[in-house]
Amino acid sequence: MEKFVTHDGVALPLMRSHVNTDDIIPARFLKSVRRTGFADALFANWRYLEDGRTPDPGFPLNRPGYEGASILVSGENFGCGSSREHAPWALREYGFLCVIAPSFADIFHGNCFNSGIVPITLEPPEIEELVGFLEDRPSSVHVDLPAQSLTTAGGHHFRFCIDPFRKQALAKGLDNIGWTLGHQDQISAYEQRRRQEAPWLFP
């Protein structure tokens, strides 16, 4: 997983509340357990017209200037619904490195960290203020993880909170497996000690 320290990217406002995981990646595309192959299906029910191929010009992601957006700003309870990991996989493969919302569904929130996406929570009035700077035209936002801050192209600052362990893991590029493997020496020492204490557990 890539490290996340700072990032500058175009922010896309998708102001819908309760965006669920089937909205993010519809179930008909869940034909693989690999982390790749989902970018084109991101927001497919909203992103394309009825033929499933033609971009809907009214959907924010298809508006000029937002093609390479890497920061998503949305409404409350983002990522609700099922616990599918494909939702953050699709967001990450498309290029979104950060999602900003007033609140997140718990499981989706955890899955973001394991997919290299930074989920940032701001208060609803702050979200409204931020979106006010983004609505007129594509605009860049600077995300500083060590400082736990967002800065708009116009110089407006927002502070956010993040779990210290999650923050450290993102900065080092570690998901749960990577963090566990980083303690291989302690794991081996524990297993060796347990073999002596309870040899019947080890065939």
Side-chain angles (χ1 to χ4, degrees):
M1 194 171 78
E2 295 181 15
K3 298 178 181 179
F4 189 108
V5 181
T6 62
H7 174 69
D8 290 273
V10 171
L12 171 73
L14 178 64
M15 298 318 297
R16 305 187 185 192
S17 297
H18 310 292
V19 174
N20 65 51
T21 50
D22 196 60
D23 296 326
I24 298 170
I25 177 75
R28 64 184 180 276
F29 297 105
L30 306 186
K31 299 177 181 179
S32 172
V33 293
R34 297 186 178 184
R35 296 190 177 206
T36 58
F38 302 109
D40 289 341
L42 178 67
F43 298 124
N45 290 342
W46 299 336
R47 186 174 165 190
Y48 304 108
L49 297 177
E50 290 185 3
D51 62 8
R53 298 183 302 274
T54 305
D56 182 348
F59 185 62
L61 198 63
N62 298 327
R63 289 164 54 192
Y66 289 105
E67 300 87 349
S70 58
I71 299 171
L72 182 65
V73 185
S74 196
E76 64 179 339
N77 199 27
F78 189 88
C80 58
S82 74
S83 60
R84 65 185 68 161
E85 291 179 286
H86 301 76
W89 293 352
L91 287 164
R92 183 64 178 80
E93 187 183 14
Y94 180 85
F96 284 110
L97 300 180
C98 179
V99 180
I100 305 169
S103 59
F104 294 89
D106 288 344
I107 295 177
F108 176 84
H109 187 261
N111 286 340
C112 278
F113 289 106
N114 286 325
S115 301
I117 296 174
V118 184
I120 293 176
T121 303
L122 295 181
E123 294 296 325
E126 293 178 304
I127 294 286
E128 291 182 13
E129 184 181 0
L130 175 60
V131 170
F133 301 130
L134 306 175
E135 284 184 326
D136 293 337
R137 61 185 182 278
S139 182
S140 179
V141 170
H142 176 72
V143 182
D144 188 324
L145 184 60
Q148 297 179 202
S149 68
L150 306 172
T151 306
T152 68
H156 302 277
H157 298 278
F158 299 86
R159 296 275 299 171
F160 62 89
C161 296
I162 190 169
D163 176 80
F165 171 76
R166 297 288 198 180
K167 176 181 176 179
Q168 182 183 40
L170 284 168
K172 293 182 178 180
L174 298 175
D175 57 13
N176 286 343
I177 294 175
W179 181 85
T180 301
L181 292 175
H183 294 79
Q184 189 62 53
D185 290 345
Q186 295 96 314
I187 294 170
S188 297
Y190 171 80
E191 290 178 342
Q192 183 176 4
R193 186 175 71 252
R194 287 298 289 164
R195 281 191 177 92
Q196 296 174 350
E197 297 171 347
W200 58 87
L201 296 177
F202 298 86

